[in-house]
Each structure stands twice: as structure tokens, then as C-alpha cells.
Amino acid sequence: MKTNSTVLRANALSSVDSSNQGNSPMSIGIRIFLLLALIVPHSTGQPAVAADRVKVPLRFDHFYDFEELTSALHSLAEAYPQLLDLASIGKSFEGRDMWLMTIHNPKTGPEMEKAAMWIDGNIHGNEVQASEVCLYTIWYLMENYGRIEEITRIVDERVFYVLPSQNPDGRAHWFNALNTSSSSRSGKKPTDNDGDGLFDEDGYDDLDGDGELLMMRRKNVDGRWRPSHDDPRLMERAPAGEPGGYDILGYEGIDNDGDGRINEDGPGGYDLNRNWPSDWEPEYIQFGASEYPLCHPESKSISRFILAHPNIAGVQSYHNTGGMILRGPGSQSFGSYPRQDAAVYDLLGEKGEKILPYYKYMIIWKDLYTVYGGFVNWTYEGLGIFSFTNELFSSKKYYHDKNAERSRGGNTERLKFDDWLEFGHQYVEWKPATHPTYGDIELGGWRRETGRVPPVWMLQEECHRNFAFTVLHADQMPLVSVREITVKSLDQGVHEITATVENTRLIPSVSARAREKRIGLPDFFSIESLDLKVLSGGILTSKDFNRLNVVEYRPERIAIEGGVSSAKAGGGGGFRGGRGGGSGSSGPVTVRWYVTGKGTATLRYESQKGGVSTGIVTIK
Amino acid sequence: MSRLSFSNLPLRTAVLFLFLVVATWSSSSRIHAQAKDLGWSGYTSSDELNSTLAEIVQQNADRARLRQIGTSGEGRPLWMVEIGRRDRRNPDERPALLVVAGVDGTHLPGTEACLSLIKNALTRNDPAQEEESGSPDFSTLLSKNTLYVIPRINPDVTEHLFRWPLSDRKTNTRPVDNDRDGTTDEDGPEDLNGDGVITSMRKRDPAGSEMAHEKDPRLHKKSSQTKGEVSTYKIYPEGIDNDGDGEINEDGPGGVELNRNFPFQYDLHDPATGPHQISEPESRALADFFLSHRNIAAVLVYGPEDNLVAGTKSTRGSGGPSSGGPRAGTRAGRGEAARSGFGGRQPVTSIAADDLPYFTYMAEKYQEITKATGKSVPSPAGSFLNWVYYHYGIPGLGASIWSGPPKKTEEPDEVKEGDSPDPKEPEARPGRQEGERGDREFGGRGRGRRGGRGAPPMPPSAGGDSPDEDQQWLAYSTDRLLGEGFVDWSPYDHPTLGEVEIGGFVPFLRLNPPADDITPLLDSQVRFVWTLMGLLPNVSVEKTDVVEKGSGLFEVNVTVRNNGYLPTALRHGLATRQMRPIQVELLLGEQKLLAGDAKRRIDRLEGSGKTSDHSWLIQGKKGSSVLIKVTSRKGGSSRVEVRL
Ligand SMILES: [Zn+2]
């Protein structure tokens, strides 16, 4: 029997004998402390579990470049072969592997009969800490499996598909090439951004060879910029009528292709997160959309995996920055999400705001900006899966001040933070350089590890809180369970079997969106027997008035189009410490069959996203 | 099938491979011997196409190249023939026309037109013939331009029309669970009466929605209760309920309709459109070919859709890339309230006013040359034809070649302005579109699904809203096809329905005439294509001059001219940002550019002789020379040396 299946047994004319075979306690293996040859640089972070329990000593005060990330994933997969499966689902444009970790306990049931949580990050190559959150998720679940009861249960009940980097090329370049905190967002397929027939021919240049991409400024009596009056290391616009003295000339670079423009055609130049099939619009409406949906090897491979896994019932995508828990729609013209689904989103989003201080639960187009063809838009609008995007890190966290402004570039508070807490390491002070077009200039400004990613010593908390929110979401994925079976004897050898299935979690087994667009399969409630003959059957719409929607054809396999929604509206409903329900739909589903004959039948409720639950009926 | 690509193979190897392909297939394809004889045996089957292409291209290696651009889902090669004289100029950098047939694989005449075109291009030599036809100098076209011909992009669907039994399937054979029961393709049609075609079943049933047509009891029409009409028939597609779900033929083989698989106005939630845009190997091959050949300046699609035969009367309505489609309505006002800088633009869903005259002009040429008459047929949502214009700004033209038999009764020839279909159902125009008629009689599969995924098959309508047209088609079947286009109703004892009659129109009757009727139409199609080639943008350096200013200072002037008819970018082409500007570049030796940019850009240069002037001030030695290089992706490139 499956672990996530509640098995009920019912005998004719007798009460229901139920036995829950689920959640068999996992043996807590002896943890052997293994020293793994992990290349983890200098750091002083605290591990989340006691050191003598840690099997894979990963550090979370460190940003992993692509190679380090790959080796960390392999270490985990080798350490936990019973639960982890690491596979490459495709290659990036430049040939890097798209590593996807499957977390699944085969001893508790087949993978495709369990609801799965999809977790990814770093579709924007520069948004690097997204991958650390993914890595932390795998690591924490594994290190605490068999140790923390709730973690053990969740791992046994569910499947997790974790893709730490949707954009391995963008990640690799962010670490290894010249970038700001915001560049290397694109994939690395050469693109002709300036329409001159040449590809990626005019990117950034490291004028002084220091490995950092800095701002260029030049002394100019007519310039409109001046050193900031708050802190002369920062630049500000001179007020009208006051002298400036400086030009700001953009990021470090020269006019490589001689077209009179600087840095106008750097590596890549598109947006993988505008390349998904739902609410997609072409390049002239949506910058970065690319030639057509899923035209890139990264998005194509990911879509192939997701389409082949209809058990995916929850999606979490990690980005930076700003402290947001985002959901669609991405565009106003899409309209709004169905009321029942919006209510589910709201319940999860509100929880998220508590779990993630300084994060706000927001709607993409309304509260951020319009996105056509975004990933989470496809997974919800196209595939009917509840999906969030978290924008990791908020500058409010610098001083734990919810009124702090977002800090990008020249913010004096941020500079003080750098002086006091990072010892001035992140800000490079102005220094002279020579430019082939501009002549004598100066270079200065922030290093890439600032603004969009947290200081490394703040990373682990960021990882843990986001992971906890995602596990909350995963735990609220639908979980169907045959709750009650009754059998009544009628005249002429006919028996009436009545069975009820419930969903003990917040998220319905079929979202309102999926139902509206007929996405995927409906749930099915079936009766399988070699002994019994099914005469008729249907869905019981009112127990009190005995109203039955008779299914004319194939009554032994009844399609439940709307699935089964949360059992206990307003109650706890398995939502740890919160109100459950609220999805506004009908709750448990009851079906009834009329059968003749004697013997045994299996009642089977199967849901693509809610798992499988069975019950046994014996008629003597 | 092998997945070898021909692109890198010498021609001889390619041809050898082809023979192997042909040998493998010769046994697999057969004309439906038992089926009604519609004269389709004259059309080219897949194996015939393979051998024909290999043969004619082999004989003309100087002018043609055969390339495999992909492989169909069932493993058939997707061929592209590149026509153009092989000389120093790369054919992929010359202004090009792309001709594609069979995006809708059920349309047979297009492949024949492509084959005629290829044969003509490769055998034609006679200059007299050129003058006679009034088309531009053929020899010049062959070296200045490139013609890409894809004679059959969707061979798996086409092949189905050559097999027994013939059904109205328009989709490929990708397994799709149309009725969402967890099983794919488990309830397809059966040829119950063994006549080789899947037609309709009618059952006497007052609960139906059809009644016998008063003028001809073989036909039906919808009964109108408000007129006091009583229904007498319920209509089903021919077949049985294989999976016992109460529906007949609701989940047959396949599949995806290729011409609804492209991104413009794509409907994600209809199983017949595929799991996502450009999901099929055939659509991907076509899209990738198109996108990697940005020298393509115009596209001609042979298929049911037609914006040439009656032109494009307005930016909305029946002609040209359709303005309809499921998203058109909902997109209005898109982005108005969205934050500035993001999503402020609205997708264009009708032909730009500035571009319309070009469409009209080309349609007039078509009518003049082919003498064809008929009505415009809009493209379905998600069509290739609309995609090339709406997302890439390239003129997309569609021709169905054959527009049905001559009309017996007088009726207005034009679709009225504003008489456009319900935008939610751009294809649901039975009786107005030649192309859509073929599957109308027993739309159990294709059409029924359009209402939504897994919707039960719509009762086929053997009458519907245009009984007069049905009568004409019945007469056509009788007069032209010796009655083979219609199966007379005969009784059948159906396993679940009981007493029924089987009969009705034969699939694709209205789309594909006997091949003999197509042959006389092909010459004029070929002439139209050459005419169209002559209309492509043609950019060159018109004149240069040098003004000496003294002390080694020279002003270099150049006039760039578009001698073609089409502009180097349509107005909407500029809007799509897919048009690379014409680049006018001054290449200096020892000389010095005193001011300005060496590279100039022209966003758009209109045709019919429009010019653009550029000048540079340089310093250099008298008598030395500079080079001027003009590059237009869709208008060709040239370089001129100028002596100071
Ligand atoms: Zn992002």
C-alpha cells in the first residue's frame, strides 16, 4: 500500500473498519559523519544542525559558482542515494548541464502517485542566491529526515523536483566574467541587440584589469553630476543652477564595434523568463521574449520535464530582489484568477509575509510590472498549478528597518552599512583610468555582490525562511484520502456502496483554473472488482435528499471534474497553525455505486495532483 | 527513418540517400483502392515527391539545392529546394521569397504548384517566353534573388489522404487524449459500410437538431423551432463507441493541427493546437528555417487560406491575415493601466494601414495573372501565414489555387465589409470558405473540439446554414465526379445506435478537386511566383560622386535606391523591431573621416525607385579610392569603389 493512501475496509452490513497504513515511521539511520572533499572556501557560518549530525557539511555563507554548485549537488546525491536522484535534464546553450534533484522516497509509493513540489531558481543568471536557497532546501530536508518528524513526514508524503539553476550559463558568467549585480541576467546565446548583423560584439570591458565592472566618471566643467553632499564617495545630480563638475559615463567599456555607442551589444540580450507559453507576446510587446516560446534549450528542456510530470502540484521559483512573494497574473489584460484559486493564494501569501519578514505578497502586473510569458504564469495559467515567485532579499534587512528605501547604487545608508558591517569591502572608491574615447576618467562604485544579494553572513537565514515558506506550500498540496465507505443491502441482491473521499490539505486536487481550461485529467473514482457487477453509479450531490448525479456511461470509473477541495473550511485542516479551507468549493466528494454479486472490490480515487487513495469493500 | 541532415552533404550523396528512402517507402503508400475515386490518384504522394525532387534537382545542380530541413513526427524528411544561380553571392544573402505548401496538410494542390514551380525554374531558358509573360528578366532573378520552396511541410497529414479509409482528420498523429480519460487515441472512426471513406451516420430521432432539406432529402439542415420545424435526424460521424463512454469517435488518432501551432493568436488550451506554440517537429523546422533566413522578404503559403483571390478589402474582416482570433478581443486596452515602461504597447491584430496597399497590389497581380475568382478565406488562429506578418513584419500571402466549381446561381461575390466571423470562432464559417468546407459534413473530430478541450463531437451538419451551397456541391459531385463525392444513404445496424443510415459528403471534397482540374491552373501560379519575385526589394547604389573641397578634403556622396516594388521594411515590420536597418558604410584606406559616423542606417526604404542620400567629409590623397558598402538584409548587398 502507498504511504499517502489511506486504506479503508468496509464489510457489508457492518461498520467501516479502517486502517491507516500511511506514514510508516522511517527508520532513523545511524548518521555517520562524513568528511566530504568539498571545496568550500573560508567561512564562519553556523550549520543548521549540530555538527556531529551533519553528513554533508555545506556552508550557506557562500555563493556557489556553477562548478561548486554542481559538486555540492553530487555530494548530496552520493550521501543520500535512497532519497535523492540527480539528473541532467538538458544542456544549456553553452553546454552546461541542467541539474535537477529529485527528492523522493520510493518505499512510500510510486513517484507519479505523489504530489510533487517544483522548486527552481536563477532563471536570471545574476540572481544567484536563488540557487543557494534551492541547495539549502535539499540539504535541510536530507539532514533532518528521520530527525525532525514533520520533515520526515513531508519527505515521505511528497516528491520534490529542485532545479537550482534554470540558467547555468548566466550563473557561470556572473561569477567568472565582468558583471554588475544586475548583468548576466540573460542566457548566453549570442544575440544581435543593436541590429548591425554582429552578435555580442560590444560588451563591457575591464579598463583597469581589476576584475570588477565599475562606473565611469569624468571631470567636466559642464557636467551635471557632482560628489554627493552626504558622502563625497557617492555621486548625485547637481540641482538646477548649481555647478556639477562631472559626467557619468555608464559602466566600464569602450566602443568595440565603432558604431558610436558603448556596451550596446553584450553577451546574450534576452530574458528566459519571458519565453514561456502562457500569455506570451513577441519581442515588440515584451522585451526579451525571443523568437518564440520555448525556443531556448534551457526553457525547452524544463518544459519537457514539467509536461512529463503532471504530478507537479506546486511551483516555487526564486529570483532577486526586493522581498516579494509574487503571483500572477503577469498582465492586466489576462484578467484575474478564479476566486477560489485567489483565496488559496491569499492564504499562502499571508502566511509567507509572516514567515518572511520584510517580504510583501504581491500580484505581478499590479504591484510590480507587466510580464508576458513568465515561468510562473505558464505553470499556473497554462498548467493550473499554484505557483509563486519569491524576490529574495530586501534592503530593509540591512538595518531591520521596514521603512528603509530600496538601495541600488548610491545610497548613503548602504554605504555606512558597508563601512561598518562589511569594512568597506563592497564599495570601490574612485580611481584614475584611461579611456580610448573619453580620455582621462575615473572608475568606482559597487562590486557585484551588493544590492541584490545579501551579505554572505546574512544568507543562511534568507535560505531557511524561504525554504520554510516553500515547505509550507508543499505541505498544502492536495492529499486525497478515502474517508468513509458504507455498504447497504437492498432488495434482489443489490448492494449500495457509498464512498467519500476527502482532501486533507488547503490546495484543491484540481485548481479552478485547471477545471475552467480543462487542463490535465480530472480525478477519477473507480470501483474495480472481478466479483461484483456494477449496475449503476454516480456522484451523490446531497446526502440528505439522496440526490445522485447518475453517470450513464462507464459508472465503474467516475470522472470528478472539479476534484476534491479542502475538507474543513475554517478548521485547522492540516494547515499547521492556520485557518484551512477557504477555497470556496464543495469539500469532500461522495459517490455511490449499485452492485450485484458477492466478493471484494477495490475503490480507488486517483488524482494527478493529489495522489491515490484506495479502499476495500467486501460483500459476503 | 534516418535523421541525417542533407545540408552538409554533397548533392550526390543526398541523392543516393533519397533512393534508399524511396526504396523503403515504395511499399508503404497506396492509393485508397477501395475508396471513392475522386481523381486524387493524380496528386503526388510522399514517395513520389521524394523521387521527383531528387531527380529534378540532381539534373540542375547549378541552379538548385535540395536540403532536408527536418524530419516529421512519423519520420518523413521535410524537403526544401533552394533555387538560385550559384555564384559568388551567397543565396542566403539575396532577397528571397519563401513558398510553402501543406502547412494545412489536407490541401493537396499546393504541392503540385510547388513542383511545377521547381520544374519551371530548373528547365526554363527561353528569353522569348520571358518577354511574353511580361515578368522580369528571369536570368536576373536567378542570380539576384533566391527562391526557397518547401513543397510539403506536413507530410504525415498529407499521407493520410492517400490511405484507406479516408477520414476528415486534419491533425498529425502525436497521441492526444482528446476526451481526457487517461487513454490516447482509443476511439477513432470505423469504416462501417466498408466503402473506404468515413462519412456520417444519421438516425431518425426527434431529439436531434437536423431535418431533411426540402429540396433534396439527401441533405439536411438545422431545424428551427421558432419556424415550427420538427427535427427528424440526429447526425453522428461514422464509427462506433470504442471506449464505451457514450461518445462516438471523440478520441481518434492524433493530433495537432500544424496551422494552428504558431504563436500569433495561439490557443494554448485546445488539444488540437499542441502542448505549446511551435511544439511539432514540422512547425519547428519551418519556424527555424524562416527565422534563420532573414533574407526572406515575402512568404507565399499554398493552402486553404486565401488572401489573394479576392484580395484584402480592409484591415479587418475576411482578407489577409485575419483580425479575428480568440485573443483579439481580450487584448484591447492591454497595458493601459500597467506601469509605464512595461507592457505599454498593444499587440497589433490587423494589417497596418500603410501596408495594406502592398497586399492589395499583390492580390491584384495574382488575380490578373491567374484569372482566379473566389472569396477570401481567413487564416485560422495560430497560422503560419499570420505569424510571419504579425510577429515578423513580412508580407504573408495565401493562395488556395482552386476555389471550387463554377457557381450555378448568382450570388454576391464579395464578403461584405464587417461581415467577419465571430472573433471567438475565426474558423467557424461554413459555407463561406472553400477551405473549411471539406470537413464540414461530419465534423465529428476536427470541428467538435474547437468548442473546448474534450467537448463531445458536434453533430455534423449535412445542411446547416448554407443548404444552397450543399446543393451545388451535390451537383458538382454528380456532374464532375460521377457521384463519387457523395455517399448515398444506406441503412446500417449500428451496435449502440441501432437503425441508422450511413452516407453524406466525402471528406475534403471541397478542398481538393481531381488532380486533372488542378493541372491547367498551375502555369499561372508559376507566373505569379516569378512576378512576385520581381516585386521583392532590390537595393543598390544608384550613383556616387565626389566633390573636391581643396587641401585633400573631399565630400563623398552616395545615393542608395530601392528598385524593387516592396519597401525594405513594411510599416508593421518596423513596429515588430525585426527589421535590421539598411547599413551604408564607408570603408576607408589611408583616408581620414573628418566628422560623422562611418556607418549610416536607413530604417526603411520604399520601393519603386525611392532613394536615400548620404555624404561624408573625408581627407585623403587625390586619386586614392574608398569603398561604399550597402547591406540590406531583405534588399541585397552591394559595394562600390569611389575614386577621389
Ligand atoms: Zn529575476
Side-chain angles (χ1 to χ4, degrees), chain A residues 90-93 98 294-302, chain B residues 284:
Chain A
K91 296 270 189 191
S92 67
F93 180 82
M98 313 266 304
L294 308 180
C295 65
H296 296 294
E298 296 87 354
S299 47
K300 181 72 183 169
S301 302
I302 294 165
Chain B
R284 196 144 178 134

Side-chain angles (χ1 to χ4, degrees), chain A residues 7 20 38 40 122 394 485 575 593 598:
Chain A
V7 179
N20 190 337
L38 260 183
V40 182
N122 197 210
S394 160
I485 304 170
F575 198 154
W593 287 286
K598 291 192 190 326

Side-chain angles (χ1 to χ4, degrees), chain A residues 193-205:
Chain A
N193 301 112
D194 56 345
D196 63 355
L198 304 171
F199 295 74
D200 295 358
E201 80 289 349
D202 192 351
Y204 302 121
D205 303 275

Side-chain angles (χ1 to χ4, degrees), chain A residues 239-313:
Chain A
E242 288 184 38
Y246 282 94
D247 292 324
I248 293 286
L249 302 168
Y251 284 107
E252 228 176 313
I254 62 171
D255 178 13
N256 305 72
D257 58 348
D259 66 349
R261 289 176 291 174
I262 288 173
N263 301 346
E264 84 290 349
D265 192 356
Y270 52 93
D271 190 335
L272 285 167
N273 200 32
R274 306 292 185 271
N275 192 234
W276 302 91
S278 291
D279 204 19
W280 182 88
E281 289 293 350
E283 198 68 35
Y284 79 100
I285 301 292
Q286 172 61 64
F287 170 78
S290 305
E291 292 176 328
Y292 54 82
L294 308 180
C295 65
H296 296 294
E298 296 87 354
S299 47
K300 181 72 183 169
S301 302
I302 294 165
S303 73
R304 201 183 291 123
F305 182 91
I306 291 178
L307 288 170
H309 290 80
N311 57 327
I312 295 174

Side-chain angles (χ1 to χ4, degrees), chain A residues 221-230 235-246:
Chain A
V221 285
D222 302 320
R224 296 310 305 144
W225 289 82
R226 68 181 188 190
S228 165
H229 287 188
D230 294 331
M235 298 297 287
E236 66 182 15
R237 240 176 225 292
E242 288 184 38
Y246 282 94

Side-chain angles (χ1 to χ4, degrees), chain B residues 243-263:
Chain B
D243 58 350
D245 66 349
E247 309 284 350
I248 292 170
N249 300 0
E250 84 292 347
D251 192 358
V256 177
E257 286 180 47
L258 205 64
N259 207 29
R260 298 174 64 202
N261 192 232
F262 288 86

Side-chain angles (χ1 to χ4, degrees), chain B residues 124-198:
Chain B
R124 182 168 169 181
N125 286 311
D126 177 16
Q129 193 187 343
E130 284 144 29
E131 269 163 49
E132 192 190 329
S133 73
S135 61
D137 178 359
F138 181 70
S139 189
T140 310
L141 283 184
L142 273 188
S143 51
K144 268 195 113 96
N145 298 98
T146 304
L147 174 65
Y148 301 116
V149 187
I150 300 177
R152 183 168 287 170
I153 190 62
N154 197 359
D156 295 356
V157 170
T158 309
E159 194 60 18
H160 161 75
L161 271 73
F162 291 85
R163 307 250 174 153
W164 177 90
L166 176 67
S167 75
D168 68 336
R169 174 159 72 79
K170 296 173 82 173
T171 64
N172 65 19
T173 49
R174 169 199 276 271
V176 171
D177 181 9
N178 299 83
D179 57 349
R180 298 168 67 240
D181 64 353
T183 314
T184 54
D185 301 354
E186 79 289 352
D187 192 354
E190 285 82 18
D191 182 16
L192 297 176
N193 61 354
D195 63 349
V197 286
I198 305 298

